[in-house]
């Protein structure tokens, strides 16, 4: 890879900050929080609370699912990351070492602090069964921290075991791994047509999933070790979709603006259908691999499109609440599970389910706001420090 990443042929860098997409990231992070709360509720409700159980299951079948979609929201994060990384690189030439330093300083310090806090809480509160809280809660925080697992978490790259301490960390492994190879994807986006880029990434996704299935039956140990890397090949298409949306932003904006109101409604309805029912179709047809994520891709694309080019949605996204969620979205995503499990394992024997989950929800926001101020904001400043002095200004035409 060349020392300099020549990332644009234009004379001016594009906008680096899009407030409406920050809001989408914050709302997606909140949806992940609600998903985990609802998952614990569904697995922990008593038999006499069948009505609430039925209500949660029914909501899962409606477009309201967008407000507590878990894995679907992570796919939105990946598209947004591709969008943001494209904007980060475009308009200037940047040494690869500067790019990597900037990206890792942005992601790694908050990640590492979250890992260390999780390890401490697992040691203090974990290691025992949580009666009445279902199989998912009792699959995490069960074994005491050990050096090898902690080392895998600290090294991040290639970590195949992200569940013991903080169940959301799997996506951070993907973010960091794909960030390291994103300049190659960026070069492909600049050089090839969108259909070619997406077709290439689709082939990589299919290949990765086929290899994962073969290895799972022939060499489970090797499959376990290679899973993080095969997953990166699979998720590359979501980063590619985001990068292409950023590159073709003006074209997409004109296309969306020219649609009639009925076609816009049809687009939204189709996207919501993919977003809501994609995972259910995977389950129905017995699709066990991640290839089923591709059914959700059109819905995630639709959400990013709306928050990029729908004037009504953009206006609503300027409200202080979604903007606040956008600011703390990374911390909200990193710490909500830690807080939730700490409350469950620490107070689960003393509080009823509903007050317990309400307490966790109340604690999440001040704790994540504190984490944003104390850890994430300094990381943002560190990632920017020196970067301005290390880039090559764009050449004029």
């Amino acid at each position: 890879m060349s020392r300099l990443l020549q990332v644009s042929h234009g004379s001016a860098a594009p906008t680096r900050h899009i407030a409406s997409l920050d809001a989408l990231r914050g709302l997606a992070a909140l949806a992940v929080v609600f998903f985990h709360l609802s998952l614990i509720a569904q697995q922990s409700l008593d038999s006499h609370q069948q009505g609430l159980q039925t209500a949660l299951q029914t909501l899962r079948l409606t477009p309201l699912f967008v407000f507590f979609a878990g894995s679907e929201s992570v796919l939105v994060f990946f598209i947004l990351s591709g969008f943001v990384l494209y904007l980060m690189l475009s308009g200037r030439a940047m040494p690869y070492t500067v790019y990597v330093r900037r990206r890792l300083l942005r992601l790694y310090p908050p990640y590492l602090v979250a890992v260390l806090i999780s390890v401490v809480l697992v040691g203090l509160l974990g290691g025992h069964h949580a009666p009445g809280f279902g199989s998912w809660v009792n699959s995490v925080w069960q074994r005491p921290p050990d050096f090898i697992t902690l080392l895998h978490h600290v090294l991040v790259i290639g970590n195949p075991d992200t569940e013991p301490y903080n169940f959301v960390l799997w996506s951070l492994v993907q973010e960091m791994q794909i960030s390291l190879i994103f300049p190659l994807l960026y070069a492909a986006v600049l050089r090839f047509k969108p259909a070619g880029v997406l077709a290439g990434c689709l082939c990589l996704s299919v290949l990765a999933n086929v290899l994962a299935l073969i290895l799972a039956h022939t060499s489970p140990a090797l499959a376990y070790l290679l899973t993080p890397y095969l997953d990166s090949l699979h998720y590359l298409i979501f980063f590619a979709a985001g990068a292409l949306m950023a590159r073709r932003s003006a074209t997409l904006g004109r296309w969306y603006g020219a649609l009639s109101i009925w076609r816009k409604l049809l687009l939204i309805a189709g996207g919501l259908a993919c977003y809501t029912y994609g995972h259910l179709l995977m389950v129905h047809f017995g699709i066990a691999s991640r290839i089923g994520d591709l059914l959700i891709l059109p819905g995630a694309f639709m959400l990013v499109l709306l928050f990029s080019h729908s004037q009504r949605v953009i206006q609503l996204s300027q409200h202080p609440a979604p903007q606040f969620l956008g600011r703390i979205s990374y911390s909200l995503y990193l710490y909500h599970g830690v807080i939730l499990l700490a409350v469950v394992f620490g107070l689960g024997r003393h509080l009823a389910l509903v007050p317990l989950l309400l307490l966790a929800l109340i604690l999440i926001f001040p704790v994540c706001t504190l984490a944003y101020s104390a850890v994430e904001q300094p990381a943002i400043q560190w990632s920017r420090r020196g970067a301005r002095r290390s880039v090559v200004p764009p050449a004029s035409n």
Side-chain angles (χ1 to χ4, degrees):
M1 186 175 297
S2 62
R3 190 181 70 87
L4 288 181
L5 298 172
Q6 185 61 46
V7 295
S8 175
H9 301 291
S11 60
T15 302
R16 292 298 193 274
H17 179 81
I18 302 176
S20 59
L21 295 186
D22 286 346
L24 174 58
R25 192 186 299 274
L27 292 170
L30 185 63
V32 175
V33 174
F34 287 150
F35 168 74
H36 288 128
L37 286 169
S38 67
L39 182 60
I40 291 179
Q42 281 187 287
Q43 292 192 359
S44 309
L45 290 171
D46 297 330
S47 57
H48 67 274
Q49 296 172 307
Q50 189 63 37
L52 183 55
Q53 183 79 268
T54 302
L56 290 172
Q57 293 173 351
T58 302
L59 282 175
R60 174 64 182 85
L61 301 175
T62 72
L64 294 176
F65 173 68
V66 72
F67 295 108
F68 58 99
S71 58
E72 293 82 358
S73 293
V74 176
L75 301 182
V76 171
F77 293 151
F78 290 161
I79 293 179
L80 290 174
S81 291
F83 196 111
V84 168
L85 288 177
Y86 180 91
L87 295 184
M88 175 181 168
L89 292 177
S90 59
R92 59 184 63 192
M94 181 182 296
Y96 180 69
T97 53
V98 173
Y99 162 77
V100 170
R101 182 173 72 244
R102 187 172 175 183
R103 190 63 179 159
L104 291 183
L105 284 175
R106 174 67 182 92
L107 294 176
Y108 188 73
Y111 163 90
L112 182 60
V113 172
V115 166
L116 296 177
I117 291 175
S118 301
V119 169
V120 170
L121 289 175
V122 169
L124 292 175
L125 303 175
H128 63 83
H129 185 76
F133 281 96
S135 58
W136 177 65
V137 165
N138 285 292
S139 68
V140 295
W141 282 27
Q142 293 304 299
R143 65 177 193 256
D146 63 87
F147 176 76
I148 297 300
T149 305
L150 178 58
L151 182 62
H152 282 156
H153 279 70
V154 171
L155 295 177
V156 187
I157 304 301
N159 181 12
D161 187 17
T162 57
E163 290 292 316
Y165 305 144
N166 188 336
F167 48 76
V168 305
L169 297 184
W170 70 269
S171 67
L172 271 299
V173 173
Q174 297 306 312
E175 283 275 359
M176 294 191 197
Q177 290 183 170
I178 295 176
S179 290
L180 293 177
I181 62 171
F182 186 83
L184 296 175
L185 177 62
Y186 176 82
V189 168
L190 290 183
R191 182 171 181 179
F192 300 108
K193 294 181 178 180
V197 174
L198 292 175
C201 290
L202 178 61
C203 290
L204 289 175
S205 173
V206 173
L207 176 63
N209 281 278
V210 170
L211 283 175
L213 288 174
I214 293 173
L215 289 173
H217 289 89
T218 60
S219 180
L222 184 59
Y224 175 75
L225 292 175
L226 292 181
T227 291
Y229 304 108
L230 295 176
D231 283 350
S232 290
L233 292 180
H234 166 64
Y235 289 118
L236 196 63
I237 192 171
F238 293 89
F239 283 75
L244 288 167
M245 292 186 77
R247 178 160 175 77
R248 305 282 178 165
S249 181
T251 302
L252 280 172
R254 288 192 297 268
W255 172 78
Y256 179 80
L259 292 177
S260 67
I261 183 64
W262 293 110
R263 289 187 176 182
K264 288 178 180 177
L265 290 175
L266 184 62
L267 174 70
I268 294 170
L272 284 175
C274 292
Y275 202 75
T276 303
Y277 303 114
H279 180 75
L280 293 179
L281 287 173
M282 291 160 52
V283 174
H284 177 75
F285 290 111
I287 302 175
S289 72
R290 296 190 185 276
I291 197 70
D293 291 339
L294 301 178
L295 298 175
I296 302 166
L297 176 57
F301 171 88
M302 180 273 298
L303 287 175
V304 178
L305 179 69
L306 288 181
F307 276 79
S308 301
H309 299 293
S310 169
Q311 293 304 312
R312 183 169 298 180
V313 173
I314 291 172
Q315 185 177 9
L316 290 173
S317 71
Q318 306 307 309
H319 188 276
Q323 287 299 309
F324 166 74
L325 289 173
R327 282 194 299 276
I328 69 166
S329 58
Y330 187 31
S331 295
L332 185 62
Y333 183 74
L334 275 176
Y335 291 97
H336 79 274
V338 179
I339 298 165
L340 187 55
L341 290 178
V343 170
V344 166
F345 281 96
L347 299 174
R349 297 181 180 180
H350 308 288
L351 292 176
L353 178 64
V354 173
L356 188 79
L357 295 182
L358 285 176
L359 175 62
L361 183 61
I362 291 170
L363 289 175
I364 282 170
F365 294 100
V367 172
C368 292
T369 302
L370 177 62
Y372 169 75
S373 300
V375 181
E376 191 177 347
Q377 274 192 320
I380 293 172
Q381 295 303 316
W382 296 336
S383 71
R384 293 173 178 171
R385 189 175 301 163
R388 298 184 183 93
R389 300 190 297 270
S390 304
V391 297
V392 177
S396 58
N397 291 332

